[in-house]
Amino acid sequence: MRDIVFTRSSGWIPNVIREDGELKLMLGAGADANHEPRTFTFPISEAHLAVIREDLARHLLLWSAVLPLFDAAGTRGRLDENAAVALLNPILLASPADVDALFQRIRWDRSRPIAHGADIGLLERGQVYAAMRTATETPNEKRAQEYHVDRRRAERGAALGPLDAAILRYTGQYLHGATVPRRMPDAVDPMLLPEVMRVIATAEQACAGMRIGRDPRRGKRATDRRDWGRMETTVEAAVRRAHPEFVDDAVRSVSFLMCSEAADRSRSTPIEDDEEAADHHADFGGSARKTVLSFTDDKGVEKKWLRGSPRTAAAEFWEFVGDRSAADNEVFTIEDEEMGEGIQLHFYADSIARITTLREGEGRSDPEYRVEYSLVDGIGGYRNLVNAFVRGGYAALEQHGPWMSDVAEFERAPAPRRPVVFSGSPRPRRRKDLRRAGTGAVRPERRLSTRSALPWSPSPPR
């Protein structure tokens, strides 16, 4: 039989129970293999209970001292009860000086006293008992979290100044740098808010006119990593020029805010507007503009676009790509059956093929095609090529070369130089992996089969 003898208003502070006539301290700590909280108990005396009732500071210190023992028990281990009992007298019954000396020797959890209002400066100087004079029953977990992140920053040499801290609070990234930033002026000390807003204005001015476009190759809501990287670099350079004293955390937080807001604006923009903002509306000659186009992916799914549709061919195509693109679906084709030409985009290899019909198939003879290849530099390069083709056809792509008809020459061609503008490993080029045996027979009918026209299979390596 278990009865509660003493408890405090905060449910996580250890309770005192009487179980089968014996007094015990009981608390929840850690979790079992099923992620359920574990409950531990160990015996205490009436003298210990009297101190726990009357002295919040010693009660909290006992809690912080036994928590490492519970952590050591893990998900299934037993509590080292002897070690827990050995802490009772030195914490609950000893003099303040002896308590301070004990906490210099043992492992203990600083977060609990700090969450309950302990003086951090005194704790850091080893005056543990005195630090608990300001303790309260009601915890402030955010205070403990901020203490933890401040210690981690100090360990890597990133000591925050008042304005650094204010900026991180403004963006909501003081505790977690990976949190998507947002503007939180109410979280900033009113005395520092004008200075914070001047920093934000510097960043906004630096990236004025810049945008982060979408990248349908990676999904409907994905954005262009290069655009992000360019904006990030621009903002950080401007903020560092204006405030060379800022720590990296504060500078990165401001650039993260600017980039996140720009990316959100792009995601909420219709694809047609996104194309227009990217300035992809050059005229390639109205006489060559397409009337009917077919879009297909590597899974055989097809979508038609007709001239006179409310949306442009490019917008329809990129929406198709955003809907269908996946790790195992990275080859997309735009085909003009009437003109006998098309393009095939190989996202996994940063390359493209353009195909046109040289001779129609007659009788049992197969049609003859010209197939040429080129490397593509990012989503911007793909957008340029798609817009050129849907407006000017095969011939309009000439200026976007060089184009190579020899596969071996294409495989040897150097990749276009690109700056590293985003963290993470560069995407590998796999042109040589593209070359695979056989593509099947070319269909003899007038309809251009761009997949059959290629002398090597464009399917991604499995």
Side-chain angles (χ1 to χ4, degrees):
M1 178 139 180
R2 176 182 293 179
D3 296 315
I4 300 293
V5 175
F6 177 73
T7 187
R8 294 191 183 274
S9 60
S10 174
W12 288 104
I13 300 177
N15 299 322
V16 178
I17 64 169
R18 192 178 300 275
E19 190 173 47
D20 298 329
E22 184 180 20
L23 283 176
K24 292 183 179 181
L25 195 72
M26 180 182 74
L27 73 158
D32 61 20
N34 295 320
H35 306 289
E36 295 293 332
R38 297 193 70 189
T39 300
F40 299 90
T41 63
F42 60 92
I44 65 172
S45 68
E46 291 287 350
H48 298 142
L49 171 60
V51 174
I52 289 172
R53 284 183 185 275
E54 300 300 326
D55 197 330
L56 172 64
R58 290 182 186 261
H59 192 181
L60 293 172
L61 288 175
L62 177 61
W63 184 21
S64 68
V66 297
L67 276 175
L69 299 179
F70 300 140
D71 291 340
T75 59
R76 291 182 296 181
R78 294 175 60 85
L79 171 67
D80 186 345
E81 191 173 289
N82 291 333
V85 170
L87 292 169
L88 291 171
N89 287 349
I91 295 174
L92 297 179
L93 305 178
S95 68
D98 289 339
V99 171
D100 289 347
L102 174 69
F103 277 81
Q104 295 297 316
R105 300 193 304 269
I106 65 172
R107 286 182 59 226
W108 57 291
D109 188 326
R110 293 171 182 261
S111 68
R112 295 306 83 211
I114 291 172
H116 284 268
D119 186 299
I120 293 175
L122 292 175
L123 282 180
E124 295 287 358
R125 292 194 292 272
Q127 297 173 257
V128 177
Y129 190 86
M132 300 303 295
R133 291 172 185 158
T134 55
T136 62
E137 282 195 28
T138 303
N140 180 351
E141 296 299 338
K142 186 176 180 181
R143 185 171 188 257
Q145 292 171 353
E146 290 185 355
Y147 172 77
H148 176 69
V149 298
D150 285 343
R151 279 179 63 90
R152 293 190 62 180
R153 287 191 180 105
E155 288 169 359
R156 54 186 173 87
L160 299 182
L163 190 52
D164 293 309
I167 288 170
L168 291 170
R169 294 186 193 282
Y170 179 83
T171 62
Q173 290 198 296
Y174 192 96
L175 294 180
H176 305 290
T179 301
V180 175
R182 51 198 176 99
R183 301 184 185 227
M184 303 172 61
D186 292 343
V188 180
D189 183 336
M191 298 295 291
L192 291 173
L193 185 58
E195 292 185 67
V196 170
M197 298 312 298
R198 281 192 287 272
V199 174
I200 299 301
T202 297
E204 290 173 334
Q205 185 176 6
C207 64
M210 300 182 73
R211 61 183 298 278
I212 296 178
R214 279 188 279 184
D215 188 348
R217 298 175 300 173
R218 300 189 295 116
K220 288 194 73 167
R221 293 183 55 79
T223 51
D224 188 348
R225 292 178 175 179
R226 292 197 194 182
D227 286 350
W228 182 294
R230 280 189 285 267
M231 183 177 290
E232 181 181 63
T233 300
T234 300
V235 170
E236 290 185 3
V239 173
R240 289 186 196 281
R241 281 195 302 270
H243 300 276
E245 75 282 4
F246 279 0
V247 299
D248 289 345
D249 289 18
V251 175
R252 282 194 295 264
S253 184
V254 174
S255 68
F256 195 2
L257 176 66
M258 296 296 109
C259 292
S260 295
E261 291 181 341
D264 285 343
R265 288 193 295 270
S266 179
R267 293 186 187 104
S268 62
T269 300
I271 288 182
E272 293 87 344
D273 295 341
D274 189 60
E275 289 287 314
E276 185 174 356
D279 194 24
H280 292 305
H281 282 275
D283 188 3
F284 294 96
S287 61
R289 287 176 181 266
K290 302 299 184 181
T291 57
V292 181
L293 292 173
S294 296
F295 310 143
T296 56
D297 65 4
D298 204 32
K299 303 292 187 181
V301 175
E302 183 175 9
K303 182 176 183 179
K304 291 277 190 183
W305 174 84
L306 303 176
R307 189 169 186 177
S309 297
R311 307 179 71 190
T312 66
E316 287 282 2
F317 174 72
W318 288 118
E319 181 170 273
F320 178 69
V321 171
D323 289 337
R324 299 289 306 162
S325 184
D328 61 346
N329 195 21
E330 297 185 284
V331 178
F332 289 81
T333 301
I334 304 178
E335 184 177 337
D336 183 343
E337 301 175 30
E338 181 181 1
M339 298 298 295
E341 60 187 22
I343 56 174
Q344 191 169 77
L345 289 65
H346 316 129
F347 295 144
Y348 63 101
D350 296 337
S351 65
I352 188 171
R354 66 171 181 167
I355 308 98
T356 189
T357 305
L358 296 179
R359 179 178 56 81
E360 298 290 343
E362 297 179 2
R364 295 185 177 181
S365 64
D366 293 334
E368 182 181 353
Y369 299 110
R370 172 182 293 155
V371 184
E372 295 177 304
Y373 316 99
S374 183
L375 294 175
V376 184
D377 195 14
I379 185 63
Y382 277 117
R383 286 187 186 276
N384 285 332
L385 290 160
V386 167
N387 278 276
F389 178 75
V390 300
R391 289 181 172 82
Y394 178 93
L397 297 170
E398 188 64 34
Q399 62 181 301
H400 297 279
W403 296 92
M404 289 159 274
S405 58
D406 183 82
V407 176
E409 178 188 4
F410 173 65
E411 290 179 348
R412 293 192 299 269
R417 297 183 62 186
R418 66 176 75 179
V420 178
V421 294
F422 198 83
S423 58
S425 302
R427 182 175 177 169
R429 294 191 175 276
R430 297 183 288 177
R431 276 176 283 147
K432 292 192 178 181
D433 290 339
L434 294 173
R435 189 164 186 146
R436 301 167 69 85
T439 59
V442 177
R443 289 177 290 173
E445 60 266 34
R446 172 158 172 57
R447 173 179 169 83
L448 170 69
S449 174
T450 52
R451 288 183 59 83
S452 299
L454 299 180
W456 38 261
S457 169
S459 299
R462 303 291 185 243

